[in-house]
């Protein structure tokens, strides 16, 4: 079982990204496009009940105009280093800044996406052979106007 701190995207954006990933799946047939929820992975987490208080990254965030493949993941890159402070507060790290899409090795142009709403959460992934199950827990909404 793997646990990650993630920034969970707002419900409307998650829904739109699911439709986008469904269309990519129809085009490429890669099952990883359907395996996990689209989210911003912050890094490995110790499984714990209570999430720590952290500062919200400055919102809104915008992705670049192309999907990128890096460290085994297809993602929509977010330019700069907007997650450095929150990763320091969580004592974790990850090799890229962006919205996870899948594990397909490709790149393609895409309209930039605005991220206006995020929650800190824990993503638990369990792999049994080809079967991947996941769960989001301990979700806490982050307000970009407030600092803890």
């Amino acid at each position: 079982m793997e646990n990650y701190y993630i920034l969970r995207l707002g419900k409307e954006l998650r829904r739109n990204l699911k439709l986008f990933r469904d269309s990519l799946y129809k085009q490429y047939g890669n099952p990883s496009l359907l395996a996990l929820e689209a989210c911003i992975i912050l890094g490995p987490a110790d499984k714990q009940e209570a999430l720590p208080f952290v500062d919200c990254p400055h919102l809104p965030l915008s992705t670049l105009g192309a999907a990128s493949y890096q460290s085994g993941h297809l993602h929509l890159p977010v330019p700069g280093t907007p997650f450095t402070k929150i990763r320091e507060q969580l004592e974790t790290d990850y090799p890229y800044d962006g919205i996870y899409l899948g594990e397909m090795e490709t790149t393609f142009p895409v309209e930039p996406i605005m991220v206006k709403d995020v929650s800190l959460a824990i993503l638990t992934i369990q792999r049994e052979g080809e079967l991947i199950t996941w769960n989001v827990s301990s979700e806490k909404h982050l307000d970009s106007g407030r600092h803890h």
Side-chain angles (χ1 to χ4, degrees):
M1 203 166 3
E2 308 161 51
N3 296 306
Y4 295 95
Y5 288 114
I6 64 167
L7 289 178
R8 194 171 197 202
L9 308 171
K11 194 179 264 185
E12 173 102 5
L13 182 53
R14 283 198 318 263
R15 189 178 62 76
N16 291 340
L17 283 168
K18 183 185 179 324
L19 294 172
F20 174 65
R21 291 167 75 201
D22 286 351
S23 71
L24 288 176
Y25 177 72
K26 286 178 184 141
Q27 185 177 353
Y28 295 103
N30 187 307
S32 72
L33 294 165
L34 308 177
L36 301 177
E37 177 179 292
C39 62
I40 296 169
I41 301 171
L42 296 172
D46 296 325
K47 184 67 172 146
Q48 56 190 30
E49 292 308 308
L51 290 171
F53 286 104
V54 294
D55 293 320
C56 183
H58 183 71
L59 298 176
L61 295 165
S62 176
T63 63
L64 295 175
S68 175
Y69 181 80
Q70 184 179 346
S71 301
H73 295 164
L74 179 66
H75 65 284
L76 300 173
V78 177
T81 53
F83 310 118
T84 301
K85 184 173 184 181
I86 192 170
R87 284 182 172 137
E88 286 172 358
Q89 291 173 320
L90 294 168
E91 298 178 1
T92 194
D93 198 18
Y94 212 65
Y96 66 85
D97 291 334
I99 299 172
Y100 171 88
L101 295 176
E103 296 173 7
M104 184 174 68
E105 190 170 353
T106 189
T107 60
F108 50 84
V110 64
E111 287 293 314
I113 293 174
M114 294 297 286
V115 177
K116 300 175 185 165
D117 182 33
V118 294
S119 297
L120 179 65
I122 301 232
L123 172 68
T124 302
I125 303 170
Q126 192 157 353
R127 299 172 196 266
E128 294 175 29
E130 292 292 310
L131 178 65
I132 297 173
T133 56
W134 60 273
N135 182 49
V136 175
S137 60
S138 305
E139 188 173 350
K140 183 186 337 184
H141 185 263
L142 297 181
D143 183 349
S144 68
R146 276 199 353 245
H147 296 283
H148 299 284

